[in-house]
Every structure is written in C-alpha cells, then in structure tokens.
Amino acid sequence: MGKLKPILFTLLIVAIVGITIYNNLNQETQQETDVEVAPRIGFKAPNFTLTTMDGSEITLWEIEKPVVINFWGSWCEPCQIEAPEIQAAYEQYQDRVEILAVNTSDPNPEQAQEFVNMFNYTMPVPMDTEMAVFKQYRINGLPTTLLLDKNGVIQDLWLGILQEGELTKRIGKLAEEGR
C-alpha cells in the first residue's frame, strides 16, 4: 500500500493537468465560434452577409483587406456628428481599407437613404433591416465601430464618437498595418 500512494497521487496530478488543458482548449474554441459571446478585440469578427442600398451583397469574410464596420441609425445624433469624418476616411483610404456603414434599426429605408444623401456617403451601406447583425454583434448603442485587420481579427472597438480626427487616425493606422 505504501508504494501505491505515490502512484495514485501522480495519476491524480496527471488527470488534473489533463482536464485543465482540455478545458482551456475547449473554452478557446468555444469563444471563437460561440455567437453568444460579444465580439472582442483579438478575436475574429463574426461573419455576415447583407444587401447594400445599391442591391449588391457583401459578405464580411470575403473582403481581403482591413475593414471598418460602423453601425449607425439615421435618428442617431452622434452618428450624424461622426458621418462626415467616416466619409472623409473612406475617400482617403478606400484603396487600402473597406469601410462598411451598416445601417441598423431604421425600419424605414427612406430615412436611411436621406441620411446617406445628406452626408454624401459613397461607401457601401449594408442594410441590417432585421437587426440580425446588430444582435449577432451584441451592439449596445450607436454608433459602434469595429476595426478589423485583413484577417478579420478585431483590432479596435468602441461605442460612441471619438474626438475629431481620432477616427481617421485609427483608420490610417489600420491602413498602414494592412499593407
């Protein structure tokens, strides 16, 4: 019995280490695929396909350059404040960064179109009319913006507007890193 105790103790330690490793690996895999977890910096952004205002379809994971996803609504005053800077960033970086102005929470497409016209949006404007992507990304308020590297990994994420120039600065950094 005396020699059996060290063997049982060693087996117990090996089992605990094995279970811990298994649980950690399983948890990391679940975090990457579980849509119940809000998107976070350092993780791949959930995929989606939406129809744009011009009728074309955009699938996030098919875009082969860094992406900015800006969730907005026409009624949202902070969205209106940041709209000119988003359009200016698109004009400056469109060859190196895709900017998606995802309209969400606008049940009336005419309201969204008025917003797009008012701010002269020329970037793709996917319509999340069912709020599916809004829910998938667990958006808590508008505007919400995510910056993804060319592999679709979230590099930056914020709710609300940034100080003037900060959005363009962050998109410029993303464009440089995407080269």
Side-chain angles (χ1 to χ4, degrees):
M1 185 87 167
K3 292 183 179 183
L4 192 56
K5 281 186 179 180
I7 293 172
L8 288 174
F9 181 75
T10 303
L11 287 174
L12 180 62
I13 296 297
V14 169
I16 290 171
V17 169
I19 290 170
T20 302
I21 291 171
Y22 173 80
N23 285 339
N24 285 340
L25 290 174
N26 191 38
Q27 184 178 15
E28 287 175 14
T29 303
Q30 187 175 16
Q31 286 175 346
E32 292 174 6
T33 59
D34 187 358
V35 295
E36 295 301 317
V37 175
R40 296 186 315 242
I41 293 173
F43 288 84
K44 189 160 184 164
N47 195 24
F48 61 81
T49 300
L50 290 172
T51 302
T52 63
M53 282 190 144
D54 68 7
S56 60
E57 276 195 350
I58 288 188
T59 299
L60 179 62
W61 287 1
E62 291 178 0
I63 299 171
E64 296 179 350
K65 56 185 174 179
V67 178
V68 174
I69 306 171
N70 176 254
F71 292 94
W72 62 276
S74 64
W75 50 268
C76 166
E77 288 185 35
C79 299
Q80 295 169 15
I81 293 168
E82 79 173 3
E85 188 169 0
I86 289 176
Q87 178 57 35
Y90 178 72
E91 291 171 8
Q92 183 174 358
Y93 296 111
Q94 66 182 313
D95 59 328
R96 295 180 280 161
V97 176
E98 185 65 75
I99 298 179
L100 304 177
V102 178
N103 176 262
T104 190
S105 74
D106 272 323
N108 183 345
E110 288 79 28
Q111 289 173 307
Q113 187 63 58
E114 286 176 23
F115 184 98
V116 166
N117 293 343
M118 182 182 345
F119 295 105
N120 300 312
Y121 272 12
T122 56
M123 68 198 85
V125 180
M127 299 296 291
D128 187 17
T129 55
E130 303 294 319
M131 294 184 67
V133 178
F134 183 89
K135 291 173 186 170
Q136 178 183 20
Y137 275 68
R138 296 181 158 253
I139 303 300
N140 292 319
L142 298 177
T144 294
T145 306
L146 294 90
L147 276 62
L148 317 178
D149 66 17
K150 63 184 176 183
N151 298 313
V153 176
I154 301 169
Q155 300 299 312
D156 205 350
L157 163 70
W158 66 92
L159 169 64
I161 58 175
L162 297 169
Q163 290 182 344
E164 189 173 337
E166 186 64 25
L167 175 63
T168 303
K169 178 180 165 185
R170 291 183 188 198
I171 293 173
K173 182 179 177 196
L174 184 68
E176 290 303 315
E177 291 171 356
R179 286 184 174 223

